[in-house]
């Protein structure tokens, strides 16, 4: 059976050149960078080289890069680290309602510990308004954290504008760039941010490796305690193979970025055009232009996302959804809800995220399979154009939106 | 994540469709949680002669809908009322834990269809064959007659605690 992977926003296959590097640093250059012997010194030198490579991807200085176990740890370190350093158990944090859970749940954790958090709304495209950010700033605001590109709908936030307004008031800005860095051009100075989370496995590197960029002079406390690794900010023996692999992935991403972006955008546009032509009642989620080039997030009316994904999976196609069933919660994705998309529509959300390995044949195969899957499920659905919500006794089946 | 039986019913659902002149229609679910199930029944001599469903929902929602129609076809109304959401899940070889509460409502939809049927029958005064089972219908608090204009609750019922 043909297999088509369209879930690159979830994770990517490790690039063969990257895997080779990882193996080399597991088997040959395996030393502990903290050791003083030649094995250790080799590993240390390699890690510092990797730091410079990753820094170069985002226009940072090598000493501003701190390796972590991934994007989630980088988010936790940024938010908790800055909050702890700036305020002793109190203070105010500004974020948005469409952040990744690594950010949202960290903010909620701090909220329970005495911090105030403002969760800014977004518009129908999932975009944060920089003026609203500025208006939310208080005297005790210690951090603003807004993602660079949304993982579900691909919307790219106006981070440069937010950071400029924040800088006027002296508030540091963190951005989760896990979906953006390595996939689109990202420069910490052009954006003006103080902290930025990075991940390796979204850019053809291995899982379990990420980094936090911390602008020199930013006050931040460690959250993992132990040895003096990563200049005292993140204890624990460095994941040398992971770090070297992340650096290789970053190097390749930087070198191939224009081609990769053009490639995935062409496939994404071919897919969207074909889908809209073949299937009625499909809506694009997210911003029409300010979006990641590889992201096609759509809502298919009158069907539920998981049932579409299961059918696609039976035919070898991998994608994802923001429906309640797939989110493992009782509600559809918080991102789609924040964007004001009605529940019955967001239940039919599907995310197709393209990658460097995809081809036009992949797109055409999906365009062959998907319309018939949707047609079959729509034939089974009590919802549909004109008959939406019609209850047999004249009532409204979906009357209760419930739970606010 | 799903059993083979669930996937089998999901890929080849039984009794999909509507019954235009149904004796009873029942619907449960709402779009917030992502499942809406509607059951149509035709009753002959106190037995479920025909049943069809329309479901908007995940794999579990479609499979449980299909399974409940298979379980009750030909059964008496009283027997049909004995079938619970749990019976349906067990007949499918189990469901993932997080699906037990949100997508396992097919028996509730069936019970509503039966209540609709019994209510209509009572309202029309047709005390006929199979009427005796009526008193066993439903659970406290929501077994009332399905009068015209009744508001179909969008809230979940049954399995949720």
């Amino acid at each position: 059976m043909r297999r088509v992977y369209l879930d690159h926003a979830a994770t990517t296959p490790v690039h063969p050149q990257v895997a080779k590097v990882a193996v080399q640093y597991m088997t040959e250059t395996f030393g502990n960078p903290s050791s003083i012997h030649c094995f250790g010194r080799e590993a240390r030198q390699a890690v510092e080289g990797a730091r410079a490579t990753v820094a170069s991807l985002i226009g940072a200085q090598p000493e501003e890069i701190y390796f972590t176990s991934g994007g989630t740890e980088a988010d936790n370190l940024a938010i908790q680290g800055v909050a702890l350093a700036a305020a002793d158990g109190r203070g105010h944090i500004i974020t948005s309602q469409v952040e990744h859970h690594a950010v949202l749940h960290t903010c909620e954790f701090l909220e329970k510990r005495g911090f105030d958090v403002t969760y800014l709304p977004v518009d129908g495209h999932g975009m944060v308004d920089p003026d609203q950010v500025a208006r939310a700033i208080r005297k005790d605001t210690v951090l603003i954290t807004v993602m660079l590109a949304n993982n579900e709908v691909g919307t790219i936030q106006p981070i440069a504008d937010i950071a400029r307004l924040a800088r006027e008031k002296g508030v540091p800005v963190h951005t989760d760039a896990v979906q953006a860095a390595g996939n689109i051009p990202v420069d910490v100075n052009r954006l003006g941010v103080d902290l930025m989370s990075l991940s390796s496995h979204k850019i053809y590197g291995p899982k379990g490796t990420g980094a936090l960029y911390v602008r020199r002079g930013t006050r931040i406390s460690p959250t993992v305690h132990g040895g003096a690794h990563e200049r005292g900010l993140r204890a624990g023996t460095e994941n040398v193979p992971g770090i070297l692999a992340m650096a290789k992935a970053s190097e390749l991403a930087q070198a191939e970025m224009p081609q990769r972006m053009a490639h995935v955008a062409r496939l994404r546009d071919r897919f969207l055009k074909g889908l809209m032509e073949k299937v009625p009642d499909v809506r694009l989620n997210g911003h029409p232009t300010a979006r990641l080039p590889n992201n096609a997030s759509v809502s298919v009316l009158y069907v539920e996302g998981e049932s579409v994904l299961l059918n696609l999976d039976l035919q070898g196609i991998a994608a994802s959804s923001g429906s309640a069933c797939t989110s493992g919660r009782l509600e559809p994705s918080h991102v789609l809800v924040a964007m004001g998309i009605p529940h019955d529509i967001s239940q039919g959300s599907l995310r197709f995220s393209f990658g460097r390995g995809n081809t036009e044949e992949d797109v055409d195969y999906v365009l062959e399979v998907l319309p018939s899957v949707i047609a079959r499920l729509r034939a089974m659905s009590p919802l549909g154009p004109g008959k939406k919500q019609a209850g047999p006794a004249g009532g409204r089946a979906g009357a209760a939106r419930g739970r606010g | 994540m799903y059993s083979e039986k669930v996937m089998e019913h999901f890929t080849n659902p039984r009794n999909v469709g509507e019954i235009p002149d149904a004796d009873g229609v029942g619907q449960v679910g709402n779009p917030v949680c992502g499942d809406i199930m509607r059951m149509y029944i035709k009753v002959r001599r106190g037995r479920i002669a025909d049943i069809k469903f329309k479901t908007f929902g995940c794999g579990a929602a479609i499979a449980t809908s299909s399974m409940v129609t298979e379980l009750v076809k030909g059964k008496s109304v009283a027997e049909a009322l004995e079938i619970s959401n749990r019976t349906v899940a067990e007949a499918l070889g189990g469901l993932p834990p997080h699906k037990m509460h949100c997508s396992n409502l097919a028996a509730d939809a069936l019970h509503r269809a039966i209540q609709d049927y019994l209510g209509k029958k009572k309202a029309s005064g047709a005390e006929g064959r199979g009427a005796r089972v009526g008193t066993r219908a439903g659970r406290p608090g929501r077994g009332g007659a399905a009068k015209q204009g009744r508001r179909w609750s969008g809230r979940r019922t049954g399995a949720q605690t």
Side-chain angles (χ1 to χ4, degrees), chain A residues 306 347 380 390 393 397 401, chain B residues 2 27 32 38 55 59 99 152:
Chain A
E306 191 210 79
Q347 295 292 6
M380 209 184 292
R401 272 277 151 72
Chain B
Y2 286 130
Q27 179 165 313
V32 178
R38 190 185 297 164
T55 289
K99 299 283 185 183
W152 286 74

Side-chain angles (χ1 to χ4, degrees), chain B residues 12 41 55 60 69 71 93 112 117 141 143:
Chain B
N12 303 298
I41 54 167
T55 289
T69 63
L71 286 175
R112 289 215 178 165
Y117 156 70

Side-chain angles (χ1 to χ4, degrees), chain A residues 189-401:
Chain A
N189 293 315
R190 217 163 292 163
L191 291 171
V193 296
D194 304 285
L195 303 112
M196 178 183 283
S197 299
L198 308 174
S199 171
S200 141
H201 77 107
K202 310 290 190 188
I203 56 167
Y204 310 96
K207 294 158 189 68
T209 311
L212 180 66
Y213 157 79
V214 183
R215 185 180 292 278
R216 219 173 307 154
T218 307
R219 293 185 61 199
I220 184 166
S221 297
T223 53
V224 174
H225 301 274
H229 312 89
E230 298 297 295
R231 292 181 306 291
L233 186 57
R234 200 274 188 177
T237 297
E238 297 85 343
N239 172 6
V240 180
I243 288 168
L244 268 292
M246 180 177 180
K248 186 67 186 175
S250 303
E251 179 194 315
L252 292 168
Q254 201 171 356
E256 299 174 7
M257 193 170 295
Q259 298 92 297
R260 285 188 190 179
M261 285 177 66
H263 176 69
V264 292
R266 194 173 66 245
L267 296 181
R268 191 261 320 263
D269 294 343
R270 183 187 181 91
F271 168 73
L272 282 175
K273 185 166 174 282
L275 181 64
M276 302 288 180
E277 276 170 11
K278 290 186 171 198
V279 183
D281 295 322
V282 174
R283 297 180 189 176
L284 181 72
N285 298 322
H287 199 281
T289 52
R291 66 187 298 133
L292 291 171
N294 76 335
N295 174 294
S297 171
V298 294
S299 287
V300 180
L301 273 60
Y302 320 126
V303 298
E304 189 277 338
E306 191 210 79
S307 61
V308 179
L309 292 187
L310 284 173
N311 275 302
L312 290 178
D313 186 42
L314 288 169
Q315 305 203 54
I317 300 166
S320 73
S321 167
S323 78
C325 275
T326 47
S327 69
R329 286 152 193 278
L330 289 173
E331 284 196 353
S333 130
H334 66 284
V335 176
L336 302 171
V337 170
M339 286 162 61
I341 297 176
H343 284 102
D344 50 342
I345 294 175
S346 59
Q347 295 292 6
S349 72
L350 299 170
R351 181 188 68 186
F352 300 87
S353 43
F354 296 82
R356 56 185 287 276
N358 291 132
T359 62
E360 287 190 356
E361 289 74 43
D362 288 343
V363 173
D364 294 344
Y365 175 63
V366 178
L367 287 174
E368 198 183 295
V369 172
L370 182 57
S372 63
V373 165
I374 294 169
R376 202 173 78 84
L377 290 169
R378 280 182 173 171
M380 209 184 292
S381 173
L383 305 181
K387 58 178 171 171
K388 217 174 135 191
Q389 310 289 1
R396 297 198 314 126
R401 272 277 151 72

Side-chain angles (χ1 to χ4, degrees), chain A residues 119-143:
Chain A
Y119 301 91
L120 292 171
V122 294
D123 66 14
H125 293 139
M127 193 82 90
V128 174
D129 176 0
D131 291 330
Q132 275 198 345
V133 179
R135 279 199 297 277
I137 295 175
R138 310 192 320 208
K139 269 199 182 121
D140 62 342
T141 303
V142 296
L143 182 69

